[in-house]
Amino acid sequence: MHALCCISTLHDRSQANMPELPPVPPPRSDPVNNRSDSGRRSAGEAEAKIMDIVGSGICGVLYKWVNFGKGWRPRWFILQDGVLSYYKIHGPNRIVLNLESEKCTKVIGEDSFRKICRPKNGSSQPQRKPVGEVHLKVSSIRESRSDDKRFSIFTGTKRLHLRADTREDRLAWLEALEAVKGMFPRMSNSELMAPMDNVVSTEKLRQRLLKEGVREVAIKDSEQIMRSEFAALQNQLMLLREKHWLLIDALRQLETEKVDLENTVVDESQKQLNEARSSTTSRQDNYSEASGSGSEDDNERADAAEEETYYDDNNFFEAQDYLSSSSFKSSASDFRTGSFSSDSEELHAFESEDDIDPLIRYVGSSYPYVKRRNKLPDPVEKEKGVSLWSMIKDNIGKDLTKVCLPVYFNEPLSSLQKCFEDLEYSYLLDRAYEWGKRGNSLMRILNVAAFAVSGYASTEERNCKPFNPLLGETYEADYPDKGLRFFSEKVSHHPMIVACHCEGTGWKFWGDSNLKSKFWGRSIQLEPVGVLTLEFDDGEILQWSKVTTSIYNLILGKLYCDHYGTMRVQGNCSYSCKLKFKEQSIIERNPHQVQGIVQDKNGKTVATLFGKWDESMHYVIGECSRKGNGFESLSEARLLWKRSKPPKFPTRYNLTRFAITLNELTPGLKEKLPPTDSRLRPDQRCLENGEYEMANAEKQRLEHRQREARKMQERGWKPQWFAKDKESNTYRYTGGYWESREQGKWDSCPDIFGHFSSDQILD
């Protein structure tokens, strides 16, 4: 039994300080008889090397692929004595290790340290059996070529697909696994068939028989019988050893054939999937011709034609190879991770960017420091799980428009605050403005394109929905540490439209957002409607629209979202950019890919962009393809944007560092806010504080009032701070909000969160 088998889960929200676990003497190994002195020396050297790498055991968190319904699930893995065991980790619970286990084990990964907790008051924990075990002696290890965090272990009967948190963690695990596997080397045929020494001593038998007075002839016959029986036993052992190694060779050969078969199936599946997509696209075109307007159909067909000419499978294939290469990963350390962090020590965290002009490199570094929170408040109550099926059962026969979803499905942010979350990496717009001042329009549009992609980074693993704002609800964000002021308002209830306006250093950003949804049973498709506009102080204007978002596994399986479609960034400048968000398929090994090109007015490609919307974006000057020296130009790729580090204190909602600060009420801010600000919404505030019962009650009360909003809108209600532009058919900021804030005059703003009757609302 492993030294770490006696692990259990303990729910503990406190951060445990885990010391470095020191290496200890090497693990025991099976003795091998009849070795030569040189063999013993080599074995001793190998054991010393294994001791340096493995110690007496390795443990840590790895993500194991379960199935398409559950996806990747964390498991606690333990490597000891040539056996890799793994255990389940339930939710945020921690792994309890006894003191003996802590002293004899090395831990891989920062997340693994966070999940370790000592038992309280020296209490012993019940032993738990592993979910599975892998004997490395008969297994083979294979690292993924498409993902630098993944690897797999083939046991001869099944394959375990595993993923580490970082590339460094995967390297540490692979090194340890290979070192332990090296304890069981393959034997050559000459070694396998080499005769074994059949020397057996009969001296003790002879002395005993002489003592009993047995004649010499009988003694010699007894010795001969003993030698023949020993030789027969030795032959049987040699036969068993031969069969053993033949079986291992057969398993390894089967593994190789299985990998080749998997690659063939993937290629055939990809071919069939492409054919199915083309046929589906043609059917959708025929359907749109029968149901939609002619102008919209022409635009869709034109978009499809342009995508086929540039965004083919070959382009994504080469980008995939580059994104997973070591040269790509190593270059990322030379660039800046982001200008904003909610942790004070990383507020202006810059990395080395020696190849960028110093004036551009430190744009935004002179903004004042503002201390902001880096974690949500500790919950007051223990959250109760909600069964979706029981909720559906309890509401059978009821009017679904009057059914209030529990706050369990919400995150403590509103849709107005989510609009501001798209501006987390606003330093890209500051750089774009500075590049334009220097006359470099190409670098300006490259930074704007990276900004357009960066808005999707915060959506990864955000499974909870934001609060739907009330009609007339507002949100302000005055962030001098980012050099901007942001304001948004819900301007229409049906359809639900949110308008926003932001003023930065040398630029203005505005737009309105509306979503058209389609429910497909297990998934929901969201089509954004609206245009985002960016205007620089020098008069240059750029516009783009968001791509399609789909949320999958609504009923069964692990919930996840994907963004796909074509985004065009264009305006009155010399260049335009076209970005393709690749749709994730079932067999996709490298998801979330984005690739694009920048073209001049003559249609010539002057730059190429590629990356992932949840990781980073890079660019290469000129056209990058598989022809000629295309791959050589990839080595010259430069980083435009990289996602910020995860928060120091993770939340159940998977909020980013920036998102954690959005609903914060800093000292003195509450007195300056209008009564319509999202920070003052009671159900959202209760959810953030962990008062779940009160949050549900307040949410039901506010949603009852929200149903009266349509009557208000039909009676001529108009937004307070935005007006609809008749030419562009979009909502534009009319001004006056920040002036009213300075004067503290909010007489025209109703208390939309207060306790009023519906008659008062309509009046």
Side-chain angles (χ1 to χ4, degrees):
M1 182 175 293
H2 296 308
L4 299 182
C5 281
C6 49
I7 65 173
S8 64
T9 53
L10 177 67
H11 190 70
D12 187 3
R13 293 183 180 270
S14 62
Q15 182 72 17
N17 295 323
M18 290 292 104
E20 289 287 340
L21 302 181
V24 294
R28 61 182 180 274
S29 59
D30 297 333
V32 180
N33 296 324
N34 302 320
R35 290 270 183 95
S36 63
D37 293 339
S38 60
R40 292 192 181 94
R41 286 195 298 271
S42 61
E45 295 174 357
E47 290 180 359
K49 182 178 180 181
I50 293 173
M51 181 191 68
D52 294 337
I53 299 175
V54 181
S56 68
I58 293 290
C59 65
V61 174
L62 288 172
Y63 291 86
K64 178 180 176 292
W65 174 259
V66 181
N67 52 45
F68 287 107
K70 296 183 178 179
W72 295 95
R73 292 299 174 93
R75 297 288 186 263
W76 184 260
F77 280 80
I78 299 170
L79 174 61
Q80 198 170 46
D81 296 336
V83 179
L84 182 67
S85 309
Y86 56 94
Y87 305 78
K88 284 187 177 181
I89 302 175
H90 299 283
N93 297 345
R94 297 194 174 189
I95 302 297
V96 178
L97 303 181
N98 55 40
L99 295 178
E100 179 182 356
S101 300
E102 289 186 32
K103 293 178 180 179
C104 69
T105 305
K106 293 182 179 180
V107 181
I108 296 179
E110 295 181 0
D111 187 46
S112 303
F113 277 102
R114 289 196 292 265
K115 288 187 178 293
I116 294 177
C117 182
R118 293 188 179 91
K120 297 182 179 179
N121 300 326
S123 60
S124 61
Q125 300 296 327
Q127 294 185 355
R128 297 182 60 196
K129 294 183 178 180
V131 179
E133 292 182 344
V134 176
H135 293 265
L136 296 180
K137 183 176 182 179
V138 294
S139 302
S140 60
I141 305 162
R142 183 185 180 94
E143 56 183 292
S144 173
R145 295 182 180 179
S146 59
D147 191 338
D148 62 355
K149 300 176 185 177
R150 286 173 49 188
F151 63 96
S152 61
I153 302 176
F154 181 69
T155 64
T157 58
K158 64 179 180 178
R159 181 180 294 276
L160 271 69
H161 295 274
L162 305 175
R163 188 187 70 190
D165 276 334
T166 63
R167 185 165 64 101
E168 291 73 18
D169 290 349
R170 185 188 78 159
L171 185 62
W173 273 107
L174 289 176
E175 186 179 17
L177 292 171
E178 293 291 352
V180 173
K181 185 173 175 57
M183 296 168 56
F184 314 105
R186 298 181 63 179
M187 297 182 65
S188 62
N189 291 333
S190 59
E191 292 175 331
L192 185 64
M193 304 304 298
M196 298 178 63
D197 297 335
N198 57 355
V199 178
V200 57
S201 176
T202 60
E203 185 62 28
K204 290 184 179 180
L205 177 62
R206 169 177 285 276
Q207 295 298 330
R208 184 73 177 88
L209 293 176
L210 289 174
K211 187 177 180 180
E212 294 293 333
V214 180
R215 293 181 302 173
E216 182 67 24
V217 176
I219 292 176
K220 290 183 178 180
D221 290 341
S222 300
E223 290 178 339
Q224 184 61 33
I225 293 173
M226 182 176 177
R227 292 191 184 97
S228 60
E229 290 294 330
F230 179 79
L233 178 61
Q234 193 176 42
N235 291 334
Q236 292 180 6
L237 291 176
M238 289 182 63
L239 182 62
L240 289 175
R241 186 174 66 167
E242 181 181 357
K243 290 181 178 180
H244 171 73
W245 287 110
L246 289 175
L247 178 61
I248 291 180
D249 289 339
L251 288 176
R252 285 172 174 155
Q253 184 178 359
L254 287 175
E255 178 203 0
T256 303
E257 294 176 356
K258 181 175 180 291
V259 171
D260 295 338
L261 180 60
E262 285 178 346
N263 295 333
T264 304
V265 171
V266 168
D267 294 338
E268 292 295 330
S269 301
Q270 183 67 48
K271 181 179 179 180
Q272 295 176 6
L273 186 62
N274 293 335
E275 294 175 354
R277 283 181 179 174
S278 61
S279 61
T280 303
T281 305
S282 62
R283 287 197 299 268
Q284 290 177 348
D285 289 342
N286 295 333
Y287 174 78
S288 61
E289 289 176 2
S291 60
S293 62
S295 59
E296 292 179 353
D297 296 338
D298 294 339
N299 292 335
E300 291 179 2
R301 286 191 292 271
D303 293 347
E306 291 181 11
E307 291 173 17
E308 290 175 359
T309 57
Y310 183 75
Y311 298 107
D312 54 4
D313 292 337
N314 292 337
N315 291 95
F316 279 107
F317 177 78
E318 85 181 26
Q320 172 179 335
D321 291 341
Y322 179 68
L323 288 172
S324 60
S325 66
S326 58
S327 60
F328 171 84
K329 295 297 180 182
S330 61
S331 64
S333 61
D334 297 333
F335 295 92
R336 166 189 182 178
T337 59
S339 63
F340 179 85
S341 171
S342 58
D343 292 345
S344 58
E345 68 271 12
E346 297 180 1
L347 185 64
H348 297 296
F350 292 90
E351 296 183 8
S352 175
E353 293 180 335
D354 297 333
D355 57 341
I356 296 181
D357 190 295
L359 296 178
I360 302 295
R361 186 192 317 165
Y362 295 107
V363 167
S365 61
S366 60
Y367 293 145
Y369 165 71
V370 177
K371 185 177 181 180
R372 303 189 185 276
R373 68 181 183 183
N374 56 10
K375 61 177 294 186
L376 295 180
D378 294 330
V380 177
E381 305 170 4
K382 184 178 181 180
E383 188 174 14
K384 298 180 181 179
V386 177
S387 172
L388 179 61
W389 292 111
S390 63
M391 188 184 66
I392 294 175
K393 180 185 66 175
D394 295 339
N395 292 282
I396 292 178
K398 297 182 181 179
D399 184 0
L400 294 181
T401 60
K402 297 182 180 180
V403 175
C404 178
L405 291 176
V407 294
Y408 176 83
F409 297 101
N410 289 95
E411 62 181 11
L413 294 175
S414 72
S415 297
L416 299 172
Q417 293 165 314
K418 290 280 287 184
C419 291
F420 181 52
E421 199 171 353
D422 287 351
L423 288 150
E424 176 177 358
Y425 303 96
S426 61
Y427 73 87
L428 293 168
L429 300 184
D430 296 338
R431 286 187 168 186
Y433 172 68
E434 192 66 30
W435 280 118
K437 285 174 58 178
R438 293 170 164 265
N440 195 332
S441 299
L442 177 58
M443 288 304 302
R444 167 174 283 189
I445 196 170
L446 284 172
N447 278 270
V448 173
F451 169 78
V453 174
S454 68
Y456 294 97
S458 61
T459 63
E460 176 69 5
E461 296 186 358
R462 293 279 287 275
N463 299 330
C464 297
K465 65 182 292 290
F467 280 88
N468 185 16
L470 275 64
L471 188 64
E473 185 175 336
T474 63
Y475 175 73
E476 72 158 57
D478 187 8
Y479 275 58
D481 45 341
K482 294 175 69 67
L484 58 81
R485 293 192 308 182
F486 173 89
F487 178 73
S488 59
E489 180 183 11
K490 182 175 179 179
V491 296
S492 175
H493 177 65
H494 189 78
M496 204 279 278
I497 301 178
V498 171
C500 66
H501 180 86
C502 183
E503 298 176 358
T505 305
W507 52 269
K508 294 180 181 179
F509 174 81
W510 69 86
D512 53 31
S513 175
N514 179 24
L515 293 175
K516 290 185 178 180
S517 60
K518 296 179 182 179
F519 182 67
W520 300 104
R522 292 185 58 188
S523 65
I524 185 171
Q525 179 177 314
L526 305 175
E527 294 282 354
V529 178
V531 178
L532 302 177
T533 304
L534 174 66
E535 181 180 4
F536 293 99
D537 287 355
D538 55 15
E540 193 166 281
I541 298 176
L542 291 170
Q543 293 181 321
W544 65 91
S545 297
K546 286 181 170 283
V547 296
T548 302
T549 297
S550 288
I551 304 174
Y552 300 94
N553 295 337
L554 294 176
I555 304 299
L556 183 65
K558 183 179 180 181
L559 201 69
Y560 72 96
C561 73
D562 189 28
H563 311 287
Y564 55 91
T566 303
M567 175 188 292
R568 288 178 172 80
V569 182
Q570 52 195 359
N572 60 357
C573 60
S574 304
Y575 300 99
S576 63
C577 179
K578 183 169 62 175
L579 296 167
K580 172 67 175 182
F581 288 68
K582 186 180 180 183
E583 184 176 3
Q584 180 178 349
S585 63
I586 296 178
I587 59 175
E588 181 60 61
R589 297 184 178 181
N590 198 24
H592 307 164
Q593 291 187 54
V594 181
Q595 192 173 26
I597 56 173
V598 176
Q599 296 177 321
D600 58 16
K601 293 183 177 179
N602 298 324
K604 180 182 177 182
T605 300
V606 295
T608 304
L609 299 95
F610 52 90
K612 294 185 177 183
W613 52 259
D614 63 332
E615 286 187 4
S616 60
M617 287 297 295
H618 288 69
Y619 75 95
V620 174
I621 298 299
E623 186 173 0
C624 181
S625 64
R626 297 192 66 181
K627 299 178 180 180
N629 297 326
F631 285 104
E632 295 180 2
S633 61
L634 286 175
S635 61
E636 302 176 359
R638 295 292 179 263
L639 183 73
L640 280 171
W641 158 78
K642 183 179 180 181
R643 183 180 180 179
S644 297
K645 296 179 181 179
K648 185 178 181 180
F649 303 98
T651 65
R652 182 181 77 84
Y653 315 101
N654 288 320
L655 299 180
T656 63
R657 295 178 177 223
F658 181 61
I660 289 176
T661 70
L662 299 184
N663 202 47
E664 180 184 12
L665 276 172
T666 55
L669 178 61
K670 185 176 181 179
E671 292 74 18
K672 300 178 181 179
L673 295 176
T676 56
D677 195 275
S678 295
R679 294 182 182 88
L680 306 179
R681 180 166 176 160
D683 53 351
Q684 184 174 311
R685 181 59 58 184
C686 289
L687 176 61
E688 181 182 285
N689 295 333
E691 301 172 290
Y692 303 111
E693 295 294 336
M694 180 64 70
N696 272 314
E698 288 293 329
K699 189 171 187 289
Q700 291 181 2
R701 179 181 68 84
L702 292 177
E703 289 202 0
H704 176 71
R705 293 186 57 180
Q706 177 75 345
R707 296 186 186 102
E708 305 294 336
R710 186 166 185 174
K711 298 179 181 179
M712 296 170 56
Q713 194 169 342
E714 291 174 353
R715 294 192 179 189
W717 180 92
K718 293 183 179 180
Q720 182 77 18
W721 310 105
F722 288 84
K724 197 168 188 178
D725 186 8
K726 295 182 179 179
E727 295 183 1
S728 60
N729 199 31
T730 60
Y731 285 89
R732 295 290 304 273
Y733 175 61
T734 57
Y737 175 83
W738 298 105
E739 291 76 10
S740 299
R741 185 181 189 273
E742 292 178 0
Q743 300 172 8
K745 294 183 179 181
W746 304 117
D747 300 336
S748 58
C749 297
D751 185 7
I752 61 175
F753 305 129
H755 294 266
F756 292 97
S757 64
S758 59
D759 294 336
Q760 289 175 298
I761 297 175
L762 295 177
D763 292 341

